[in-house]
């Protein structure tokens, strides 16, 4: 049978005559020497396979080597496990393998005509004989052989019968190797248990197919199997090579290399994952930017449409007036829109009535505020005094929301569904910087003087450091004096102390609203001192050039109204930067306010607690202490603290600077109740002394973080189309939510505030700041990014739901004119509330249209972008036609 066209896999079945021929070649002494002296023996078996092919036995070198290997394993199994019966062995090739592997004398060969003849290998009857004639050139082993008959007993031997061959000599025993080699050999023998000639079960070994089509075995595995058992006669060099090879196989560097490669692969996978996430994040950011740009473009086009619509209505009314129809106002030559609007509002009619109603409403609110000193209307507690009963019930929406927040505070790990606090004015962006600085070695001092009663104004070393600090950052023209500095535990205590020493019970202090609501609580609960409000609004009329602008005229009117009601006003409070508006007063404005106070002999309490929180370089802060000359220095008192500017609201520290020693001594007498402990005074002094760290590290980082957080919140508001005051100081943004109020009342504002709180975000409503217009809210943006994102998502959800409700209600009602006071919005952003759509033509007047047009023009930079010069360059032919028409007029 021709096997040349068939690809044999190793482990194919061998017939007994083929095994005899293989053993004859393998048992040759020169072959054994060559096999024992080389580490790679594939070439030896390849030559054996060539000789077998010349004899008509078509086997590959791999098959020859695998067959020898299996026969060696079978031989060792029988020899080690004593599987043979009492009289002999059961395997027909045992004797041949035993002679070769135990280094017995080689098989006897006789000379015949220059060739070698193999004698009988096993004792027994001859079953088959093969005669193959070899030439010298056909044998690759250095000598020629003349094959003779090799008698093999082919029938299976019964295990109960005695073997025909004698037992091997007792002296010939199998030599054990090292423990490691024994362990390896035992593993190979276990694999070979089922590989006896009887069962003919092959051992599965991994193979790889070579390009020539033959199966190539694992060379290292076959070499390791052949070299498991050492045999006598091996050379020292060969044993050394085997030992080194075994060491290489067990080298721990292999495990280390494997772990290194595994770690490298894991790092590469991690890097790829991070790159994918970064790429996806960049895509999201770009998509978000495109959405913002698209939204901005749409709003700009909508804004232009509003303006042209107002222009068209105005022209229609003017045309009707010119044709003889009834008209209420004739616009004189040279009169601008603001003057015309003032004249229209001054003439009776609907606008005048609404103005009178608004004044009466504000007067009523003043009376209510002034009646706080008489809590007879409240339900008394028998355990409290009159003042105690009032203090028990004196709390507004701010206090209610603050309690709810502490009962359900947001925590990203413990309480992710808790309330996010955008209502309390705290800087939560610089905890890392402050905690690191306040725990350094120079902060930790426990001197005996710090544990004793200090000067009630504060330790002298601290007041000196405060004076130097304020001189530097307020840009004072002359060094400030430590004797004019008083230290208390917070600016709230300073308000209480100043109100107590400057006013008698029942008297009042003047302040512009909206303003920080904690001031009313500080001065009223302690000294029964009231606040008189100068109400500001978002309209830009008369001398106002920006929304909620404080002017001397408004202060004069509020003071006159209070005096008319019999209220004595002793002082004026100025917040600079202003909370919640974020306004920064210019030097001229500050001088006007101080001159007003001097005319009426009013003390001026200037709160500059946010002076280092001006985060934009385009804005400049001017301190009262930096003025060259104060109009009335004995009645001017400046407050500052570290709570806001250094992001440590938990450290109660405030300082007052006044040149009036009577005021200083009176306030110092109350420091017994509001003192600052000695160790805290030492820490604050060390902090204020470290000017390099403040300038180079803290202020740079704080301003950058505040600016980034402010940009994020304002961008979100622009996306929602919500107007706001765009200021550059403080931690807050003053937002116009009036379009989400259907009726425009404070009751509806409170419902919207509670709706935010129900959706787990705390804001401050305008009522808490005594704002005169319902619908304004304050949001604190000085917070971490993940809380800002989640909080703005919750705000967006509430606003979208409220907008859908309003649209559903408007579908059921006919077109109505907007309320007065909603026509004007902010002058800093182009986004205009949807409730400011042009009012219905049937109910509009020229005054309403002029006011609406003013608001639209102020709320964007459209006129700056679309100038006549630019239009002439872009479309000169149209501009020429327009110029000719204007010339004819």
């Amino acid at each position: 049978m021709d096997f040349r066209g068939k690809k044999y896999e190793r482990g194919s079945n061998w017939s007994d005559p083929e095994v005899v021929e293989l053993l004859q070649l393998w048992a040759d002494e020169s072959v054994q020497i060559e096999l024992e002296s080389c580490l790679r023996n594939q070439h030896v078996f390849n030559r054996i396979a060539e000789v077998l092919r010349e004899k008509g036995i078509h086997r590959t070198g791999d098959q020859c080597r695998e067959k020898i290997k299996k026969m060696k394993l079978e031989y060792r199994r029988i020899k080690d496990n004593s599987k043979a019966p009492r009289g002999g062995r059961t395997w027909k090739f045992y004797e041949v393998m035993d002679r070769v592997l135990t280094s017995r004398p080689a098989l006897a060969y006789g000379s015949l005509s220059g060739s070698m003849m193999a004698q009988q290998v096993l004792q027994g009857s001859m079953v088959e004989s093969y005669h193959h004639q070899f030439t010298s050139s056909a044998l690759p082993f250095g000598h020629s052989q003349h094959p003779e008959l090799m008698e093999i007993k082919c029938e299976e031997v019964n295990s109960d019968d005695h073997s025909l061959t004698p037992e091997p000599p007792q002296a010939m025993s199998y030599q054990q190797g090292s423990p490691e080699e024994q362990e390896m050999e035992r593993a190979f023998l276990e694999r070979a248990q089922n590989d006896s000639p009887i069962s003919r079960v092959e051992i599965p070994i991994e193979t790889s197919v070579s390009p020539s089509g033959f199966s190539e075995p694992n060379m290292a595995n076959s070499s390791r199997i052949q070299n498991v058992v050492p045999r006598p006669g091996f050379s020292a060099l060969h044993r050394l090579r085997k030992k080194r090879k075994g060491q290489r196989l067990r080298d721990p560097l292999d495990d280390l290399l494997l772990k290194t490669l595994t770690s490298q692969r894991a790092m590469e996978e991690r890097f790829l994952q991070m790159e994918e996430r970064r790429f996806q994040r960049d895509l999201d950011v770009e998509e978000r930017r495109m959405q913002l740009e698209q939204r901005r473009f749409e709003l700009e086009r909508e804004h232009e449409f509003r303006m042209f619509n107002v222009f068209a209505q105005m022209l229609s009314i003017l045309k009707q007036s010119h044709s003889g129809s009834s008209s209420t106002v004739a616009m004189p030559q040279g009169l601008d829109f603001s003057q015309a609007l003032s004249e229209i509002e001054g003439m009776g009619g609907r606008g005048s009535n609404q103005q009178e109603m608004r004044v009466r409403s504000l007067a009523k609110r003043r009376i209510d505020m002034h009646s706080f000193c008489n809590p007879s209307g409240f339900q008394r507690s028998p355990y409290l005094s009159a003042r105690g009963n009032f203090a028990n019930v004196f709390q507004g929406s701010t206090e209610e929301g603050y309690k709810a927040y502490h009962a359900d505070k947001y925590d990203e790990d413990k309480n992710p569904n808790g309330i996010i606090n955008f209502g309390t004015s705290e800087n939560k962006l610089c905890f890392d910087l402050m905690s690191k600085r306040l725990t350094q070695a120079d902060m930790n001092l426990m001197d005996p003087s710090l544990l004793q009663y200090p000067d009630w104004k504060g330790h002298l070393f601290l007041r000196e450091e405060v004076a130097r600090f304020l001189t530097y950052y307020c840009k004072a023209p002359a060094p400030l004096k430590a004797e004019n500095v008083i230290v208390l535990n917070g600016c709230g205590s300073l308000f209480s102390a100043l109100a107590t020493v400057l006013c008698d019970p029942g008297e009042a202090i003047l302040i512009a609203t909206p303003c920080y609501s904690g001031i009313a609580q500080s001065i009223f609960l302690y000294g029964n001192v009231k606040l008189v409000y100068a109400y500001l609004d978002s309209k830009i009329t008369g001398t106002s050039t920006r929304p909620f602008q404080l002017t001397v005229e408004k202060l004069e009117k509020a003071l006159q109204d209070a005096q008319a009601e019999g209220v004595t006003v002793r002082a004026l409070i100025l917040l600079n930067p202003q909370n919640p508006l974020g306004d920064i007063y210019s030097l001229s404005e500050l001088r006007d306010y101080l001159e007003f106070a001097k005319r009426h002999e009013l003390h001026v309490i200037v709160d500059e607690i946010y002076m280092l929180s001006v985060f934009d370089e385009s804005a400049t802060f001017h301190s009262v202490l930096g003025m060259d000359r104060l109009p009335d220095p004995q009645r001017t008192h400046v407050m500052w603290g570290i709570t806001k500017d250094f992001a440590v609201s938990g450290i109660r520290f405030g300082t007052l600077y006044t040149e009036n020693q009577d005021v200083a001594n009176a306030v110092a007498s109350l420091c017994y109740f509001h003192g600052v402990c000695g160790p805290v005074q030492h820490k604050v002094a060390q902090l204020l002394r470290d000017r390099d760290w403040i300038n180079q590290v803290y202020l740079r980082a704080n301003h950058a973080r505040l600016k980034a957080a402010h940009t994020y919140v304002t961008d979100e508001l622009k996306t929602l189309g919500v107007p706001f005051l765009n200021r550059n100081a403080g931690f807050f943004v003053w937002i116009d939510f009036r379009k989400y109020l259907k009726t425009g009342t404070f009751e509806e504002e409170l419902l919207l505030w509670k709706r935010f709180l129900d959706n787990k975000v705390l804001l401050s409503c305008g009522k808490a700041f005594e704002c005169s217009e319902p619908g304004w809210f304050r949001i604190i943006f000085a917070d971490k990014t993940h809380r800002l994102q989640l909080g703005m998502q919750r705000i967006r959800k509430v606003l979208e739901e409220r907008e859908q409700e309003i649209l559903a209600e408007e579908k059921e009602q006919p077109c109505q004119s907007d309320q007065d006071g909603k026509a004007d919005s902010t002058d800093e952003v182009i986004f205009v509330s949807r409730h400011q759509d042009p009012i219905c033509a049937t109910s509009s007047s020229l005054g309403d249209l002029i006011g609406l047009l003013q608001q639209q023009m102020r709320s964007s930079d459209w006129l700056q972008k679309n100038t006549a010069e630019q239009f002439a360059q872009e479309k000169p032919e149209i501009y020429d036609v327009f110029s000719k028409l204007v010339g004819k007029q």
Side-chain angles (χ1 to χ4, degrees), residues 722-724 734-739 775-776 824-825 833 835-836:
V722 176
F724 60 91
W734 192 237
I735 308 176
D736 182 8
F737 283 155
R738 289 180 293 174
K739 71 177 181 179
W776 289 87
D824 290 329
S825 185
S833 302
H835 70 263
Q836 295 170 352

Side-chain angles (χ1 to χ4, degrees), residues 449-479:
S449 62
L450 301 178
L451 304 179
Q452 300 171 354
Y453 289 125
D455 182 347
W456 295 124
K457 292 183 179 181
H459 282 288
L460 180 59
F461 67 85
L462 174 61
R463 290 187 286 123
E464 291 177 344
E465 200 58 51
V466 170
R468 287 191 289 267
F469 181 87
L470 294 178
T471 300
Y472 178 81
Y473 287 101
C474 295
K475 297 179 175 59

Side-chain angles (χ1 to χ4, degrees), residues 483-494:
E483 61 186 20
N484 297 333
V485 176
I486 302 100
V487 174
L488 275 75
N489 61 344
C491 290
S493 299
L494 284 172

Side-chain angles (χ1 to χ4, degrees), residues 365 396-401 422-424 514-517 579-580 733-737 741 745-757 761-780:
R365 292 175 62 191
S397 60
T398 302
E399 187 67 22
E400 179 184 350
F422 287 167
T424 305
C515 65
Y516 170 54
S517 59
N579 179 12
V733 178
W734 192 237
I735 308 176
D736 182 8
F737 283 155
L741 305 183
T745 61
F746 285 104
E747 290 76 11
E748 195 174 9
E749 176 189 270
L750 184 61
L751 292 176
L752 181 61
W753 175 84
K754 289 182 178 180
R755 193 161 183 174
F756 284 124
L757 190 62
V761 58
L762 174 61
L763 300 178
S764 299
C765 59
K767 179 67 174 178
F769 300 96
E770 289 297 328
C771 183
S772 61
E773 300 175 358
W776 289 87
F777 282 71
R778 187 191 74 171
I779 182 173
I780 302 299

Side-chain angles (χ1 to χ4, degrees), residues 187-307:
F188 287 137
L189 291 175
E190 289 176 358
R191 293 178 57 189
Q193 288 294 329
N194 298 324
D195 189 33
S196 64
I198 301 175
S199 60
R200 300 289 186 179
V201 178
E202 303 297 332
I203 300 177
I205 300 178
E206 298 180 0
T207 61
S208 60
V209 181
S210 65
S212 61
F214 290 96
S215 298
E216 293 295 334
N218 189 318
M219 301 297 295
N221 289 342
S222 63
S223 299
R224 191 182 305 121
I225 295 174
Q226 293 179 4
N227 294 320
V228 168
V229 182
R231 295 188 296 275
F234 281 17
S235 64
L237 178 60
H238 179 59
R239 293 183 179 179
L240 181 60
R241 289 180 178 176
K242 287 179 58 180
K243 182 177 181 181
R244 291 179 178 175
K245 182 179 179 182
Q247 292 177 352
R248 287 199 301 270
L249 292 175
R250 296 187 298 272
D251 196 342
L253 292 178
D254 295 341
D255 296 336
L256 180 60
L257 180 60
L258 179 60
K259 293 180 180 179
T260 303
L261 294 176
T262 305
S263 301
Q264 182 179 2
R265 186 180 299 108
M267 292 173 62
E268 291 176 353
E269 294 177 355
R270 176 64 175 169
F271 176 76
L272 291 177
Q273 294 176 359
M274 294 176 63
E275 285 295 312
E276 291 178 358
R277 286 199 294 267
R278 184 186 64 80
F279 181 71
Q280 184 63 35
R281 186 171 61 252
D282 293 342
L283 290 179
D284 295 341
V285 171
E286 182 65 20
E287 182 179 358
R288 179 70 171 169
R289 188 188 67 80
M290 295 298 295
Q291 291 177 356
L292 289 175
E293 290 295 329
Q294 181 65 21
R295 175 64 175 166
R296 186 180 184 87
F297 176 75
E298 293 175 356
L299 290 173
E300 286 180 349
R301 297 302 300 269
E302 182 180 354
H303 189 73
E304 293 178 4
F305 173 76
R306 293 170 186 272
M307 294 182 63

Side-chain angles (χ1 to χ4, degrees), residues 582-594:
D583 279 336
I584 303 174
Y585 298 136
S586 64
L587 280 176
S588 60
E589 289 176 326
L590 287 174
R591 191 171 299 279
D592 292 340
Y593 305 150
L594 295 178

